[in-house]
Amino acid sequence: MRARTALRGWVAAGLVLAASLFGSAPMTPAASAEAPAGTPPVRILSYNACGNAENCQSEMTTAAWADGLQGHITDWDSDVVALQEMCKGQYDALRGRLPGYAGVWASKQKADRCGKWGDDKSFGQVLLIKGVQQTEITPMSAEVTPDGFTGEKRSVVCAKAPLDGRTVLACGTHLRQDAATQNDTPALMARIDGWANGLPVVMTGDFNSVPRHTNLDPVFAGLPGTLSFEEASGRDQQYFTPECTASGATVCRTGAPTAWDSANGQYGPKFDLALFTPQDFGDLRSSTVDTHLTKAPDHLLLRTAASFRQRPQVPGDLTGDGLPDLLAVQADGSLRLYPGIAGGRFGAYKVIGASGFAGADVSHRGDWTGDGREDVIARIGDELWIYPNTGQGRLGERMPMRERPTGWGQATVLAVGDIDGDGQPDLVGRSGGGLFLHRGTVGTVPALPRDAVALSAGSLWKDYDILAPGDVNKDGRSDLWARGADGKLLQFLSAGAAALPGSTELGSAPAASHPLAGTVGDLDGDGRADLLLTTAPQDPGTGDLMFLAGTGTGLAQPVRIGENGWRWIQSIR
């Protein structure tokens, strides 16, 4: 076991400093230190390694340097590691010591002094992700320096990857120290927002600006309605400015020093930042450690930690506002999202899938990816797809349902929530042979690993519309509604992973007068599931949407909540 440097415990605001923070750096690496008890589970490490610069490049052998940094990475139990100013030889040596990590190497330049570390003189940035295979991450990188700047171009490197059971966008960057007129951050934020598409984001690196500098205004102001950040040490009051303290603010754009101030002979500016999307992460903590891995003081190693926020889930809610939403497939193959609004109504739709959904079974009920958001399931042709909800109802890159990705061409598929009560979302499939339960498994690769269970056999089900009202009787299991060919609306209470018991009748809505039937669960917020129906068009282009409130024993009289145009909708779920 390595010797440990003495660390103060987490202070109330959440900052730890190495005891040797303002000391000079010896020529041998400092001992690493394990995370204090109670450190949140999501662990991030960022470090400017000074692999090439003459004034601070390490005089150690490649093996000794890599051993030293590997100790800090493993002792912090780092989930994400972002390294700047790295030479390829350093990266190769470090990867050999971290077999449990996937890596992203980004370089567009050579540096002669990188020859110290190996034959490859490439110079760039590194991102390491713990606990995943290389094939499980999606790497990406881009320059963020504005056009017309003739100096060294700076960039951001990211990876979409599972982190503590949730898919996140993890990023590292190294920006220029320039005037605001040459600011890299607008392009940086545009790239991150486009790549994340609503995913939780962790971004860290050497920003070459203190948090209060105008260069970082775009980062902290964010992009309206999509992306903004909180810095990990922004709540540490010992670094607050007098203005922050006087105002009573709980967050301030300050923090612990991380970069060497040669003029004053100590660590002074905070150039190294760790940024988290605040809607996704809480309990932010930060610490700095002097690694002594450079021949002269340069950058402290930045260690941060956070916890994922738990989002309260409302069945049917895709936008995250606590109200159930409606998905509708349009005749042109586009997918519309109608956001739920107060009073049992829907707001104006937005198109969340431009094409490819004609004739598809599209439904939403249940969080399949484990990120706290309800996802979308689509049977398209013979294939079954999961469309992750990346926030505000936006859809991420689709993935095939594991175990059963194909073979669905003769089935109508519906995401119904948790029918068997095991805490995992389920599907039902209707075919000529009856109605079947397909029990799901949540994760970064959602699956249907178990054999199908017959809920009800018989060819009668091929003529039924199957609806997902949620847990009607509050027993922890999702129930089913069905509309028969005769128009009768039936309720089937779940018996778990077993055949459905007998039904009760809720009312009648013949398909001739009401072509489509659907439900988003409890739309009006009274605790009872409600029904949606479309009316048969009387003139070209017409057809209305009707709302029938649940009464507990049946359905109330229909109320028109959408006029005209529903004739061109193929399904409502």
Side-chain angles (χ1 to χ4, degrees):
M1 179 178 290
R2 299 183 187 85
R4 310 295 178 197
T5 55
L7 291 181
R8 292 184 290 175
W10 296 113
V11 296
L15 181 73
V16 168
L17 295 175
S20 60
L21 180 62
F22 295 104
S24 59
M27 299 296 291
T28 56
S32 54
E34 291 179 342
T39 301
V42 180
R43 313 281 179 83
I44 314 297
L45 184 148
S46 182
Y47 182 52
N48 185 318
C50 190
N52 175 62
E54 182 176 3
N55 66 313
C56 57
Q57 184 186 57
S58 177
E59 294 177 334
M60 301 174 194
T61 66
T62 301
W65 178 91
D67 284 341
L69 186 54
Q70 180 266 336
H72 289 285
I73 292 170
T74 54
D75 274 357
W76 187 242
D77 194 19
S78 307
D79 295 296
V80 177
V81 180
L83 303 171
Q84 306 86 46
E85 294 194 22
M86 284 277 286
C87 294
K88 185 59 162 55
Q90 292 175 291
Y91 172 62
D92 292 339
L94 190 61
R95 280 297 308 277
R97 288 160 171 78
L98 296 169
Y101 285 77
V104 182
W105 164 258
S107 172
K108 289 189 176 182
Q109 59 182 311
K110 303 283 186 179
D112 288 340
R113 292 187 62 85
C114 280
K116 166 185 167 52
W117 308 104
D119 294 335
D120 190 334
K121 295 181 179 180
S122 299
F123 183 62
Q125 293 188 72
V126 169
L127 196 67
L128 299 168
I129 311 291
K130 180 187 175 185
V132 295
Q133 300 296 317
Q134 198 70 32
T135 55
E136 293 181 77
I137 68 173
T138 304
M140 53 201 75
S141 64
E143 290 183 352
V144 295
T145 301
D147 292 337
F149 182 75
T150 57
E152 179 187 347
K153 299 285 189 179
R154 298 302 176 95
S155 61
V156 60
V157 56
C158 298
K160 288 183 181 178
L163 181 62
D164 198 28
R166 299 188 184 182
T167 301
V168 305
L169 182 72
C171 298
T173 193
H174 186 198
L175 304 184
R176 294 172 297 123
Q177 188 174 7
D178 288 309
T181 54
Q182 298 175 341
N183 192 1
D184 296 333
T185 51
L188 171 69
M189 289 294 288
R191 285 288 187 179
I192 298 296
D193 184 62
W195 288 339
N197 194 26
L199 286 176
V201 180
V202 174
M203 180 167 63
T204 189
D206 178 1
F207 286 76
N208 264 315
S209 293
V210 296
R212 297 185 304 279
H213 197 282
T214 56
N215 278 11
L216 295 183
D217 286 350
V219 174
F220 288 97
L223 302 175
T226 55
L227 182 70
S228 62
F229 288 104
E230 182 177 336
E231 211 280 325
S233 62
R235 295 178 184 268
D236 189 344
Q237 296 185 15
Q238 66 176 305
Y239 293 102
F240 275 22
T241 63
E243 293 79 9
C244 281
T245 301
S247 70
T250 58
V251 180
C252 191
R253 285 170 58 175
T254 53
T258 64
W260 185 253
D261 182 354
S262 57
N264 296 304
Q266 65 180 25
Y267 285 100
K270 179 177 176 56
F271 281 177
D272 302 88
L273 280 65
L275 300 152
F276 297 79
T277 45
Q279 68 271 24
D280 302 302
F281 297 96
D283 195 18
L284 305 184
R285 315 271 186 108
S286 180
S287 67
T288 54
V289 176
D290 197 338
T291 65
H292 301 174
L293 291 175
T294 53
K295 72 178 181 182
D298 185 43
H299 280 262
L300 295 171
L301 181 146
L302 180 64
R303 312 190 311 175
T304 54
S307 299
F308 276 110
R309 294 189 186 278
Q310 298 300 315
R311 300 185 185 94
Q313 286 188 277
V314 173
D317 178 21
L318 287 168
T319 59
D321 62 359
L323 297 170
D325 308 304
L326 178 68
L327 285 182
V329 175
Q330 229 267 2
D332 63 4
S334 62
L335 182 63
R336 295 179 175 183
L337 186 149
Y338 290 83
I341 57 177
R345 300 291 190 273
F346 295 106
Y349 75 84
K350 59 180 178 180
V351 175
I352 60 172
S355 62
F357 292 96
D361 294 329
V362 183
S363 56
H364 61 105
R365 201 70 91 247
D367 171 20
W368 288 81
T369 58
D371 63 358
R373 300 185 179 104
E374 188 167 273
D375 301 306
V376 174
I377 301 295
R379 192 276 307 154
I380 302 175
D382 187 54
E383 299 173 315
L384 191 61
W385 298 94
I386 303 156
Y387 288 80
N389 178 6
T390 62
Q392 300 178 333
R394 294 179 296 179
L395 302 183
E397 184 176 353
R398 72 180 186 178
M399 62 182 79
M401 180 69 76
R402 300 297 179 184
E403 309 295 338
R404 289 287 308 277
T406 59
W408 299 91
Q410 303 303 313
T412 297
V413 181
L414 183 68
V416 293
D418 180 16
I419 281 190
D420 59 0
D422 67 351
Q424 309 282 323
D426 303 313
L427 303 178
V428 295
R430 184 201 70 190
S431 67
L435 190 69
F436 296 88
L437 169 65
H438 301 271
R439 291 173 287 171
T441 298
V442 171
T444 55
V445 284
L448 299 172
R450 292 168 283 188
D451 291 340
V453 175
L455 296 179
S456 184
S459 60
L460 181 66
W461 284 92
K462 68 182 177 61
D463 298 321
Y464 276 25
D465 292 326
I466 310 300
L467 312 180
D471 181 8
V472 173
N473 60 350
K474 313 302 180 187
D475 67 350
R477 298 178 301 206
S478 295
D479 305 304
L480 297 176
W481 286 352
R483 181 175 68 163
D486 57 2
K488 288 183 179 180
L489 295 162
L490 306 176
Q491 178 172 280
F492 295 86
L493 298 179
S494 171
L500 293 173
S503 63
T504 57
E505 188 172 342
L506 300 175
S508 179
S513 55
H514 299 287
L516 300 180
T519 179
V520 295
D522 179 16
L523 180 59
D524 58 5
D526 66 355
R528 296 185 288 263
D530 308 308
L531 181 69
L532 298 169
L533 297 170
T534 61
T535 62
Q538 303 303 314
D539 300 301
T542 64
D544 299 335
L545 181 67
M546 311 300 290
F547 167 73
L548 290 77
T551 65
T553 57
L555 298 164
Q557 291 298 307
V559 176
R560 182 175 288 101
I561 62 172
E563 295 185 356
N564 301 326
W566 291 88
R567 162 188 185 139
W568 309 114
I569 300 297
Q570 294 183 336
S571 70
I572 51 174
R573 287 177 173 173

